[in-house]
């Protein structure tokens, strides 16, 4: 159908850079917002992102948001620690059911590239860092029906990465 061929409307905030095919944000006002929800209607999915949290950034960095601002949504976030590390923090909300996966003891060094993934399958939410399962938990999940996608900031344009 023709609707599958249309490109989603994009809003570019700030001045993100592209280096070697990688989209880089300044952590202050750079972001990309798409009027599209790639998880729409999916009851199982995997979201993968390459990240490099750097020193000097905000303690809470919400760098990838799909869905609604306050309703059904998926968030990928980091928390920076005082000893120069970061921790992955993932969140899914579906109706009245939600799950946070975060363990402040699972630390990773700042300034290094890392592959992070959030997987939802058969009512279980899992998150991985560099291919290693860190956390998992059950979640009663119905597909996210609407919303948009932001990279570099939450959809409400707070907590820049």
């Amino acid at each position: 159908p023709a609707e599958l061929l249309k490109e989603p409307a994009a809003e570019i905030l700030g001045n993100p850079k592209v280096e070697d095919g990688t989209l880089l944000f300044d952590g202050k006002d750079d972001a990309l917002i798409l009027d599209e929800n790639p998880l729409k209607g999916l009851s199982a999915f995997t979201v993968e992102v390459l990240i490099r949290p750097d020193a000097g950034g905000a303690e809470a960095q919400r760098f990838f948001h799909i869905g609604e601002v306050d309703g059904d949504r998926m968030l990928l976030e980091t928390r920076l620690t005082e000893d120069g590390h970061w921790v992955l923090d993932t969140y899914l909300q579906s109706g009245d059911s939600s799950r946070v996966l975060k363990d402040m003891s699972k630390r990773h060094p700042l300034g290094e590239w890392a592959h992070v993934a959030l997987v939802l399958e058969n009512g279980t939410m899992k998150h991985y860092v560099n291919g290693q399962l860190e956390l998992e938990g059950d979640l009663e999940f119905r597909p996210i029906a609407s919303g948009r996608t932001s990279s570099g900031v939450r959809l409400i344009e707070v907590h820049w990465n």
Side-chain angles (χ1 to χ4, degrees), residues 25-151:
F25 301 112
D26 67 4
K28 297 177 183 133
D29 60 5
D30 291 348
L32 178 65
I33 298 178
L34 302 175
D35 287 336
E36 188 65 44
N37 172 355
L39 303 179
K40 186 176 182 178
L42 298 179
S43 58
F45 55 83
T46 299
V47 175
E48 300 176 85
V49 180
L50 290 174
I51 63 170
R52 188 188 73 205
D54 291 325
E59 182 272 330
Q61 299 179 351
R62 287 136 173 127
F63 63 89
F64 201 67
H65 183 164
I66 298 175
E68 296 296 332
V69 169
D70 292 317
D72 294 352
R73 63 193 181 274
M74 183 230 63
L75 293 164
L76 298 178
E77 309 178 354
T78 58
R79 298 292 182 268
L80 302 188
T81 65
E82 292 181 6
D83 65 348
H85 292 83
W86 63 271
V87 171
L88 183 61
D89 181 356
T90 56
Y91 178 79
L92 272 174
Q93 180 173 341
S94 176
D96 293 332
S97 182
S98 66
R99 169 75 59 192
V100 174
L101 297 179
K102 176 177 70 172
D103 181 342
M104 294 303 290
S105 72
K106 302 208 181 277
R107 298 172 180 210
H108 307 280
L110 292 170
E112 296 180 11
W113 286 101
H115 174 267
V116 299
L118 178 122
V119 177
L120 178 71
E121 187 173 44
N122 299 322
T124 301
M125 175 183 167
K126 301 177 184 180
H127 84 215
Y128 297 80
V129 176
N130 293 325
Q132 300 297 309
L133 175 64
E134 284 197 343
L135 297 167
E136 64 182 291
D138 294 334
L139 177 68
E140 187 177 316
F141 186 83
R142 67 167 193 249
I144 299 172
S146 59
R148 301 180 303 153
T149 301
S150 66
S151 184

Side-chain angles (χ1 to χ4, degrees), residues 12-26 30-31:
I12 298 171
L13 303 175
N15 190 27
K17 306 280 188 265
V18 177
E19 291 180 13
D20 298 324
T22 302
L23 186 59
L24 302 174
F25 301 112
D26 67 4
D30 291 348

